[in-house]
Amino acid sequence: MQTDRVSGIQAEWRRERPDLDVSPQGVIGRLHRLAAHLTSELAVVYERHGLGEGEFDVLAALRRAGHPFERAPGELAEHTMVTTGAMTKRLDRLAAAGLVVRRAAEGDGRRRVVALTVRGREVIDAAFTEHMANEHRLVDLVPAADRPALEALLAAWLAHFEAP
């Protein structure tokens, strides 16, 4: 196995606390560090399109909804795993940028929805195209033969924390 920063941390803990099994750090520590690196690599694309990660997530959730590209604010919060307060701030920024509009739902004036504007759809389509190219680049760092097993392991582990 390659020696990396996590290996060094484990070696120090083994020296200082030989009574503890620090082997989980080999997985958790590397996943944590990898997630930080991946987030940084993904953010570059979002920024090129004038978006933060949260704004990208909202626009993507709206785009995935299909025509007419709208969802209720609570549904958006659910799809992006943020609080409704955080969602309000994201929606305020996106509305100010002209990427989304808030309006009454058709057939139910009491219900509110958030919809992509034409400009919002253009931005998310361009950003998502570049995002997918970037994700391909990042996943290509893992040998092709190992990717299905890695995906299956991660999906199984994630299932312990999230409902399907």
Side-chain angles (χ1 to χ4, degrees):
M1 178 174 287
Q2 291 181 327
T3 300
D4 58 16
R5 185 172 267 167
V6 175
S7 297
I9 290 168
Q10 286 178 293
E12 290 173 348
W13 277 119
R14 283 185 186 108
R15 181 190 69 228
E16 294 300 315
R17 292 294 310 271
D19 57 311
L20 293 177
D21 174 13
V22 297
S23 62
Q25 284 184 321
V27 174
I28 302 292
R30 285 183 180 92
L31 279 174
H32 185 73
R33 294 181 60 77
L34 181 60
H37 288 292
L38 292 174
T39 297
S40 175
E41 292 285 328
L42 297 175
V44 170
V45 170
Y46 308 147
E47 290 166 9
R48 268 201 289 272
H49 294 273
L51 303 170
E53 182 178 19
E55 288 85 13
F56 177 89
D57 285 348
V58 170
L59 295 178
L62 289 169
R63 182 63 173 91
R64 288 192 319 267
H67 186 75
F69 310 110
E70 64 185 31
R71 295 185 192 262
E75 190 181 0
L76 282 171
E78 206 174 281
H79 278 270
T80 58
M81 297 185 294
V82 297
T83 65
T84 54
M87 181 55 62
T88 298
K89 290 177 184 176
R90 288 178 183 179
L91 294 176
D92 288 346
R93 287 190 299 267
L94 290 167
L99 302 177
V100 302
V101 293
R102 293 176 173 115
R103 62 176 172 74
E106 289 183 27
D108 184 356
R110 296 168 297 159
R111 193 171 151 260
R112 306 292 293 172
V113 295
V114 178
L116 280 177
T117 62
V118 170
R119 177 76 184 123
R121 185 171 172 194
E122 291 168 351
V123 168
I124 191 56
D125 281 351
F128 188 69
T129 297
E130 187 177 348
H131 174 69
M132 283 292 85
N134 193 31
E135 283 197 351
H136 278 282
R137 176 185 67 83
L138 294 168
V139 171
D140 284 348
L141 298 172
V142 176
D146 294 340
R147 291 178 210 154
L150 177 60
E151 184 176 358
L153 284 168
L154 293 173
W157 196 0
L158 185 58
H160 289 282
F161 298 95
E162 294 182 2

